[in-house]
Amino acid sequence: MSLALMLVAAVTLSCSKERLGARAISILGPGVINDPRNKSLRFDVLKFGLEEFCKEMTARGAPLKLQDDQPVLGRFFATNCQSRVIDDEHRKSIVVQYDGMGYAWTNVSQRIGFSSSGVIEYAPDFQMHEGAMYVYFRPKNIDSVQFEAKVVESALARTGAAVLGIDFNAMGKNIVMSQLKRGFTVVRYNKTGETEFGLGFIATGQKPFKPFQISGSDKRVLANDRTEVHNNQHDFVGGFEVKKGGKALYITA
């Protein structure tokens, strides 16, 4: 149960609204940009998107899954976020400090409500491939990660944990740490801002897993997933902002 791995997912949305140095890329060309010796240039390009990091992280909830190709089991909602860019000769990274609340559902515990916080330092980089930008966020340091189970719905699970000495907080923290260590990849396909997210490293030319293939539509896809909703349970998707008149949200189920 990857209870807070999608802290990372929420963070990635920052890149979908920014130009990410598109003008610089078109002038210099992908061959120059992809040269790993151009670390300063590449980091300068990335900073166009990093400026909105925390704004996007707190704008919407993020799905929680057991595996990338499995249904959503819960959500995490970041309530506070602070970020800073480290840009010196020997260290080019972004540091994110977050906290928030979430929920998840398992067969053993039923609904779990939890809080989580932590500090993550990412070493961002990217590659250009056939007009697409693959942005990689590799974790350098993960510190002060906290997980606290606020509510465990199943009385049987609570009793069993007490008898067997099971610590839900320790279990949750270990899961969070293991998922955050994977890092994540953002793929920006074109100048219109079409963006996809995937956990871990996604090689250039490949795409993140999506359960549904959408074709014949010019609408921007904000969410593409399967979710489990059990008896007397709710699931929340969003928030999504409709900024202009004449625009609308569509749901295909």
Side-chain angles (χ1 to χ4, degrees):
M1 179 176 57
S2 51
L3 287 181
L5 72 91
M6 288 301 165
L7 298 169
V8 185
V11 170
T12 68
L13 297 172
S14 64
C15 297
S16 65
K17 294 185 178 180
E18 297 295 322
R19 294 182 59 84
L20 287 178
R23 178 176 175 81
I25 293 170
S26 63
I27 293 173
L28 293 169
V32 176
I33 288 293
N34 286 345
D35 188 339
R37 294 173 295 181
N38 293 332
K39 290 186 177 180
S40 294
L41 170 63
R42 294 152 69 83
F43 192 68
D44 285 343
V45 172
L46 280 178
K47 284 193 292 187
F48 279 90
L50 299 180
E51 294 173 357
E52 294 290 312
F53 213 100
C54 279
K55 179 180 177 181
E56 292 294 337
M57 185 174 184
T58 55
R60 66 176 74 183
L64 310 177
K65 304 178 185 181
L66 287 170
Q67 300 291 336
D68 296 346
D69 59 350
Q70 293 189 6
V72 173
L73 298 179
R75 308 275 170 178
F76 177 82
F77 300 89
T79 53
N80 295 292
C81 174
Q82 297 179 345
S83 66
R84 61 187 178 95
V85 173
I86 301 175
D87 186 3
D88 58 38
E89 183 178 355
H90 303 290
R91 189 180 178 193
K92 298 183 181 297
S93 58
I94 179 170
V95 178
V96 179
Q97 182 174 355
Y98 70 87
D99 65 75
M101 306 287 290
Y103 60 87
W105 196 97
T106 71
N107 292 330
V108 175
S109 64
Q110 298 184 9
R111 181 63 59 98
I112 295 178
F114 66 89
S115 63
S116 184
S117 61
V119 180
I120 314 168
E121 179 181 352
Y122 292 105
D125 198 6
F126 68 91
Q127 290 282 302
M128 299 298 298
H129 177 78
E130 296 181 351
M133 175 183 282
Y134 286 72
V135 188
Y136 301 107
F137 289 82
R138 297 180 175 89
K140 292 182 63 177
N141 296 296
I142 301 174
D143 193 18
S144 303
V145 172
Q146 300 294 324
F147 180 95
E148 182 179 358
K150 298 291 187 179
V151 176
V152 178
E153 185 176 31
S154 171
L156 181 61
R158 295 196 301 270
T159 302
V163 172
L164 298 175
I166 298 173
D167 187 343
F168 283 111
N169 296 333
M171 292 175 58
K173 180 178 179 179
N174 289 335
I175 293 170
V176 171
M177 290 288 292
S178 66
Q179 295 299 329
L180 291 178
K181 288 177 181 178
R182 296 179 63 188
F184 58 91
T185 303
V186 179
V187 186
R188 180 185 171 93
Y189 292 106
N190 49 50
K191 63 183 180 181
T192 63
E194 181 185 355
T195 305
E196 287 190 302
F197 158 84
L199 285 172
F201 178 88
I202 298 175
T204 55
Q206 298 183 9
K207 292 186 176 183
F209 172 81
K210 296 293 181 184
F212 302 104
Q213 301 301 315
I214 300 174
S215 60
S217 174
D218 58 355
K219 297 182 178 68
R220 182 181 177 187
V221 179
L222 299 176
N224 181 345
D225 249 319
R226 296 175 296 153
T227 187
E228 291 187 5
V229 182
H230 299 267
N231 290 336
N232 299 316
Q233 305 289 345
H234 296 80
D235 193 20
F236 301 89
V237 183
F240 302 125
E241 184 178 5
V242 181
K243 292 185 176 181
K244 299 180 181 179
K247 300 294 184 178
L249 290 174
Y250 294 82
I251 299 176
T252 301

